[in-house]
């Protein structure tokens, strides 16, 4: 059992892959922004990799344990401490009743940290997932960020706690967070030649795109496309609207779509809209979505790399092997 004493910038309960199958009803999948950190953290504490954990954006989260537990802290280094002492990351550790877990803030690389607890986070499963959707106010812990006074219960651990302590992620399997984040991108559904020029797609692939301060769990917004780039293949949106980014409403390719609204490209992510009237010129592959979760607003840049569907399928298979017990050293 964990009691929140300070909610921090934003702390939410998330699992993976989130709430699938409801895009047609307008419900975003939500889910962990960095599923790699969450998945490895769960394996460290003996949980299924898809179990829910606590996602901490930017830091300043503080909580107290009311009972003994085994936890893991993964993701970005937000300077976590236990009772004032530096807490190890990427390994399973024992905590005692009364221990205080505190996070600082993010540094030069990475943006979100994760707490996983042996037995998982015991919150109601809503439409197949424990994930919080902030923009729908459902799922997770009362459909909202955690705040002081919240008490999170954990489920039954898979093994005695003493048998779960001391697991570590192999050094070569620990994710590396970068300030220039490389994302493999498949063109479409609204791309060259009907909606975007060759020059426009070259611009997307050839440049680094700054992550806007106006980013959150619905969209990772990027700097606007300069006016001197011949990006759009149309003069206007026709029956969709006056601007060439306008189209007649259709479903968005969630998660990972580059949605272009006016001159502003945005990566639609966990809590993003499921349909609308703007074009989507590309899609980040599933195996790279975790990297978006570590992009800090107004600090990091995105660099897109061309990818085929076949390469995306292989990358997903490679990730499945990575996020498995093959990456864990057991005590």
């Amino acid at each position: 059992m964990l009691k929140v004493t300070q909610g921090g910038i934003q702390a939410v309960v998330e699992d993976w892959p989130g709430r699938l199958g409801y895009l047609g009803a307008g419900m975003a999948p939500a889910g962990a922004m960095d599923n790699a950190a969450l998945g490895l953290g769960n394996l460290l504490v003996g949980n299924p990799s898809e179990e829910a954990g606590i996602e901490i954006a930017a830091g300043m989260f503080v909580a107290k344990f009311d009972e003994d537990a085994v936890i893991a802290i993964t993701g970005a280094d937000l300077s976590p401490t236990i009772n004032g002492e530096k807490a190890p990351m990427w390994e399973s550790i024992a905590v005692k009743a009364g221990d205080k877990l505190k996070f600082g803030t993010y540094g030069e690389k990475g943006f979100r940290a994760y707490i996983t607890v042996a037995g998982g986070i015991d919150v109601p499963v809503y439409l197949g997932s424990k994930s919080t959707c902030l923009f729908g106010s459902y799922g997770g812990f009362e459909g909202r960020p955690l705040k002081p006074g919240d008490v999170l219960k954990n489920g039954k651990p898979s093994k005695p706690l003493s048998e779960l302590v001391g697991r570590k992620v192999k050094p070569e399997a620990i994710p590396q967070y970068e300030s220039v984040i490389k994302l493999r991108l498949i063109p479409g559904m609204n791309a060259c030649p009907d909606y975007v020029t060759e020059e426009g797609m070259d611009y997307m692939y050839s440049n680094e795109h700054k992550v806007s301060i106006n980013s959150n769990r619905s969209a990772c917004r990027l700097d606007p496309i300069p006016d001197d780039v011949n990006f759009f293949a149309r003069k206007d949106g026709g029956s969709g609207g006056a601007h060439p980014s306008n189209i007649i409403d259709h479903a968005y390719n969630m998660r990972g779509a580059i949605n272009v609204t006016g001159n502003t490209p945005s990566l639609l992510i966990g809590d993003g809209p499921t349909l609308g009237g703007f074009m989507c010129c590309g899609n980040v592959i599933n195996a790279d979505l975790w990297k978006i979760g570590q992009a800090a607003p107004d600090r990091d840049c995105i660099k897109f790399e061309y990818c085929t569907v076949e390469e995306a399928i292989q990358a997903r298979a490679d990730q499945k092997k990575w996020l498995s017990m093959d990456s864990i050293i057991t005590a």
Side-chain angles (χ1 to χ4, degrees), residues 282-306:
N283 208 99
V284 175
I285 68 172
N286 186 277
D288 284 357
L289 292 176
W290 64 272
K291 299 180 183 180
I292 303 174
Q294 295 297 347
D298 202 37
R299 185 196 68 188
D300 295 337
C301 294
I302 301 294
K303 180 70 169 62
F304 296 113
E305 297 179 345
Y306 178 80

Side-chain angles (χ1 to χ4, degrees), residues 25-267:
M27 301 179 75
M33 289 287 287
D34 181 351
N35 63 293
L38 175 68
L40 291 169
N42 273 317
L43 295 175
L44 286 170
V45 297
N47 297 338
S49 61
E50 63 269 18
E51 178 57 67
I54 301 173
E55 175 182 284
I56 300 164
M60 310 307 291
F61 179 81
V62 184
K64 182 180 179 182
F65 292 92
D66 288 343
E67 60 186 6
D68 295 355
V70 170
I71 69 168
I73 303 168
T74 58
D77 185 351
L78 306 184
S79 302
T81 61
I82 297 176
N83 300 329
E85 299 292 330
K86 184 176 180 180
M89 297 185 63
W90 303 102
E91 64 180 89
S92 56
I93 56 177
V95 292
K96 301 286 187 181
D99 283 351
K100 181 180 179 180
L101 174 61
K102 182 178 182 179
F103 288 80
T105 189
Y106 64 104
E108 296 182 357
K109 295 181 180 179
F111 187 66
R112 287 179 171 88
Y114 291 81
I115 306 169
T116 50
V117 183
I121 304 296
D122 186 12
V123 294
V125 175
Y126 179 64
L127 298 178
S129 173
K130 296 180 179 180
S131 281
T132 309
C133 182
L134 292 177
F135 293 86
S137 298
Y138 53 80
F141 190 92
E142 300 181 359
R144 59 169 173 79
L146 300 176
K147 63 182 182 181
D150 289 344
V151 175
L152 295 177
K153 297 180 180 179
N154 51 281
K156 183 179 179 180
S158 61
K159 295 181 178 181
L161 296 182
S162 59
E163 295 182 20
L164 294 171
V165 176
R167 294 185 177 191
K168 296 182 180 181
V169 178
K170 294 178 180 178
E172 65 271 20
I174 296 175
Q176 299 301 306
Y177 304 133
E178 303 294 343
S179 55
V180 177
I181 301 168
K182 297 179 181 178
L183 300 175
R184 287 167 287 188
L185 183 76
I186 299 173
M189 61 181 74
N190 314 120
C192 183
D194 296 328
Y195 296 87
V196 182
T197 64
E198 288 188 16
E199 179 185 339
M201 291 307 296
D202 284 344
Y203 168 80
M204 294 305 299
Y205 283 110
S206 301
N207 291 273
E208 293 180 1
H209 306 274
K210 184 77 173 291
V211 176
S212 167
I213 197 170
N214 296 311
S215 296
N216 52 37
R217 279 186 52 87
S218 71
C220 179
R221 292 172 176 84
L222 307 177
D223 277 350
I225 301 164
D227 291 334
D228 60 359
V229 174
N230 179 31
F231 185 82
F232 298 101
R234 308 179 299 168
K235 293 182 179 180
D236 56 48
S239 56
H243 193 274
S245 65
N246 292 138
I247 56 174
I248 297 174
D249 284 5
H250 74 111
Y252 289 156
N253 32 319
M254 281 281 289
R255 285 172 285 223
I258 301 182
N259 183 247
V260 183
T261 306
N263 277 34
T264 302
S266 302
L267 289 170

